[in-house]
Amino acid sequence: EIVMTQSPATLSVSPGERATLSCRASQSVNSRLAWYQQKPGQAPRLLIYGASTRATNIPARFSGSGSGTEFTLTISSLQSEDFALYYCQHYNGWPLTFGGGTRVEIK
Amino acid sequence: EVQLLESGGGLVQPGGSLRLSCAASGFTFSIYGIYWVRQAPGEGLEWVSAIGGPTPNTHYADSVKGRFTISRDNSKNTVSLQMNSLRADDTAVYYCAKRGPEYYLESWGQGTRVTVSS
């Protein structure tokens, strides 16, 4: 099983600042990496797939990078609606696994 | 617009059974894989099971293998998750999700809550 590790667990950022979230895989997942956003009481929403491709209707301030075992989600200028939980997930074989999540909170 | 609607959650005693359903609309259901993912209270996301589209191969997390069974009815655009021998650690919100062109989870339902408790 591929273990996905996200860091930091919590990120405190001021509105308008940049947020950088990390995700590490225990072995290569190539570019088969997705990012999801989850707000309280809501289902997760796909942000990024293929490590760097934004999903439909996702704002350009969200960007993903990386391949192999190291990945980054960057939110270039945090808006109030971006304060949420973020999960990475690999899909390079079974079982699919998620990282533990990064909470982005208002500083 | 893709819509996924889960149902069937509720309170069940340890050792009991429950059948969850996911009703889909807004896309050609038969050609897309469907996943179940769960989230225990205050915890992260855990993939549970998947069923393919054109070829309905099934996959399960080790934590549910032998207890849960996923199936689909393409005539009714539904996927079911039969959950047997339920344990307290199966307590979670269960989401169904539609697979994208690759194996990521492109669209999600709003979830159904399962509580296993005596």
Side-chain angles (χ1 to χ4, degrees), chain A:
Chain A
E1 172 176 317
I2 298 174
V3 176
M4 307 300 294
T5 302
Q6 290 186 242
S7 62
T10 303
L11 188 60
S12 298
V13 185
S14 298
E17 289 188 342
R18 172 187 296 258
T20 303
L21 289 67
S22 295
C23 175
R24 173 177 293 176
S26 61
Q27 63 190 76
S28 176
V29 299
N30 299 296
S31 292
R32 296 186 179 94
L33 190 284
W35 290 94
Y36 303 88
Q37 177 193 66
Q38 188 179 33
K39 298 179 180 179
Q42 295 185 17
R45 174 175 71 144
L46 176 68
L47 296 176
I48 301 284
Y49 62 91
S52 61
T53 303
R54 277 190 303 277
T56 303
N57 296 326
I58 300 304
R61 64 180 181 273
F62 291 91
S63 63
S65 63
S67 66
T69 62
E70 301 284 344
F71 300 89
T72 300
L73 174 70
T74 301
I75 312 171
S76 60
S77 176
L78 272 157
Q79 307 298 302
S80 58
E81 62 266 31
D82 302 334
F83 293 96
L85 266 168
Y86 293 84
Y87 294 95
C88 62
Q89 175 237 329
H90 89 83
Y91 49 99
N92 194 50
W94 307 100
L96 309 182
T97 53
F98 291 86
T102 291
R103 182 181 304 277
V104 177
E105 65 176 25
I106 300 174
K107 186 174 182 180

Side-chain angles (χ1 to χ4, degrees), chain B:
Chain B
E1 179 191 4
V2 172
Q3 291 195 335
L4 299 161
L5 184 61
E6 303 92 338
S7 61
L11 175 64
V12 61
Q13 292 189 338
S17 297
L18 213 53
R19 188 176 183 88
L20 305 184
S21 291
C22 173
S25 61
F27 62 100
T28 306
F29 179 77
S30 61
I31 67 173
Y32 284 96
I34 299 291
Y35 299 143
W36 287 97
V37 173
R38 68 185 180 184
Q39 186 169 37
E43 300 296 323
L45 301 171
E46 179 190 15
W47 169 76
V48 171
S49 184
I51 188 165
T55 51
N57 298 324
T58 59
H59 302 273
Y60 299 94
D62 285 347
S63 58
V64 306
K65 201 170 292 183
R67 300 187 299 123
F68 290 13
T69 303
I70 191 171
S71 60
R72 66 189 297 154
D73 184 341
N74 288 339
S75 69
K76 296 181 179 179
N77 284 13
T78 58
V79 168
S80 297
L81 186 69
Q82 177 66 41
M83 306 188 298
N84 299 330
S85 303
L86 283 162
R87 314 185 300 222
D89 62 358
D90 294 317
T91 294
V93 174
Y94 285 73
Y95 297 100
C96 68
K98 168 186 172 288
R99 209 198 93 172
E102 291 197 18
Y103 290 85
Y104 53 88
L105 288 73
E106 185 177 65
S107 303
W108 297 63
Q110 284 305 300
T112 187
R113 186 173 302 275
V114 172
T115 303
V116 183
S117 174
S118 55

